[in-house]
Every structure is written in structure tokens, then in C-alpha cells.
Amino acid sequence: MKMIIAGIAFIFFSTISYAQQISQWKITDIEKLMQTSDSHILVLNFWATFCKPCVAEIPSFIKISEKYKSEKVKLILVSLDLPSYYPKKIAAFAKEHNFDTNIGWLQETNADYFCPKIDAGWSGSIPATLILNKKTGYRFFVEGEITEPQFEEALKKAMGR
């Protein structure tokens, strides 16, 4: 367990891009990441390769997150793909679509178990995005696709602007 947490922390705090290295996580790993993200604005985007709205919004998330990198915005794409997609198909898909950011695969099958740990109102549909700023207490969750301007506005609020 300590190795998994260390791996998440390494990916989260590293300045090197790990887009094609797909980490494997349990929901407890993500919960710990959410609890320890005090120095960063954390953006968790839950997606899957088969989800067209998910894939459509990711380039904007990457672009805007990169724009605010100096504001300590960290984007992590959390794949909810089938186990047979991990890691090769997810990595190949990410490479093909130039998803040059941190990507992890959630090794959970029970949405009734993991969804409420992200947000009490999450039904399990994707895309879904959580933006956290533990320092200020800002928390924003959206279930469904959001536009680039909506995402940027949510990030600005997370930064206190």
C-alpha cells in the first residue's frame, strides 16, 4: 500500500509528464491523494476511452491546466475503462490522442462503492470532474461534460479569483 501511495505522490508532484505510464489505483489511493493535496489545486477527471464526451473535453482540460501550471494546478485523468484495457489500450489511446498528462486507471468495479467517495451525488456517469483546493476549502464537482470556459472559470474560483 505504501508503494502505491508513493507512486501516486511521485506522479502527482513530479514535473515530468507521465502520460503514457498508466498507474493502477484503488479508490482508497485516490482518497488519500485528495486528502494530501494541500499545496496544489487538484483536478480529477473521470473518463473512459469509449466515452465520446470525455475524450472531447480532455484536450481543453490539458490546455487550461497547463496554462495555470504556475498556479499549482495538477490534472489527473482517472480512467474507468475495463480491466482488459489496462494498461496497453489506455496508454495507446492516450498516445494517439496526445493526452500528455498524468493518467491513472481506477481498479474498481463497484460504482456504488467508489462514486460516493468522490461526491455524494455522483450517479456514476462520465465524464465527471472534481476540482479541489484544500487550502481554501474550494470543492467543485460536475457530472457531465463541461466546456473550456466553464472549466477555466471553475479553476479561477479554485484559485480565489
Side-chain angles (χ1 to χ4, degrees), residues 8-29:
I8 291 172
F10 178 76
I11 288 171
F12 183 69
F13 293 108
S14 175
T15 57
I16 300 169
S17 177
Y18 285 86
Q20 307 325 313
Q21 292 182 338
I22 313 298
S23 299
Q24 179 175 302
W25 300 329
K26 299 295 280 175
I27 191 62
T28 52
D29 303 318

Side-chain angles (χ1 to χ4, degrees), residues 41 43 64-65 67-68 71 73 131 133 136 138 140 148-161:
I41 296 169
V43 179
I64 298 300
S65 295
K67 178 178 177 180
Y68 293 104
E71 303 280 341
V73 171
I131 302 173
N133 184 340
T136 65
Y138 180 83
F140 173 78
E148 185 174 318
Q150 290 169 328
F151 177 61
E152 187 167 17
E153 182 62 30
L155 275 183
K156 287 179 179 178
K157 287 180 182 176
M159 292 180 262
R161 295 184 184 175

Side-chain angles (χ1 to χ4, degrees), residues 20-115:
Q20 307 325 313
Q21 292 182 338
I22 313 298
S23 299
Q24 179 175 302
W25 300 329
K26 299 295 280 175
I27 191 62
T28 52
D29 303 318
I30 293 177
E31 286 179 301
K32 285 184 176 103
L33 180 60
M34 291 166 50
Q35 294 166 0
T36 60
S37 64
D38 294 343
S39 63
H40 290 77
I41 296 169
L42 179 62
V43 179
L44 296 172
N45 177 255
F46 296 87
W47 69 291
T49 58
F50 58 82
C51 170
K52 285 187 180 196
C54 301
V55 174
E57 74 181 2
I58 289 173
S60 294
F61 279 41
I62 293 170
K63 175 184 164 189
I64 298 300
S65 295
E66 186 64 28
K67 178 178 177 180
Y68 293 104
K69 191 176 189 175
S70 66
E71 303 280 341
K72 297 185 177 180
V73 171
K74 295 290 182 177
L75 171 65
I76 300 177
L77 303 178
V78 182
S79 168
L80 299 179
D81 280 292
L82 299 170
S84 63
Y85 280 52
Y86 175 79
K88 291 181 181 178
K89 288 183 181 180
I90 299 168
F93 188 89
K95 184 176 181 181
E96 177 185 335
H97 288 84
N98 297 314
F99 291 171
D100 190 22
T101 194
N102 300 309
I103 302 175
W105 174 68
L106 186 61
Q107 183 191 8
E108 300 283 358
T109 57
N110 184 351
D112 291 333
Y113 169 68
F114 73 81
C115 287

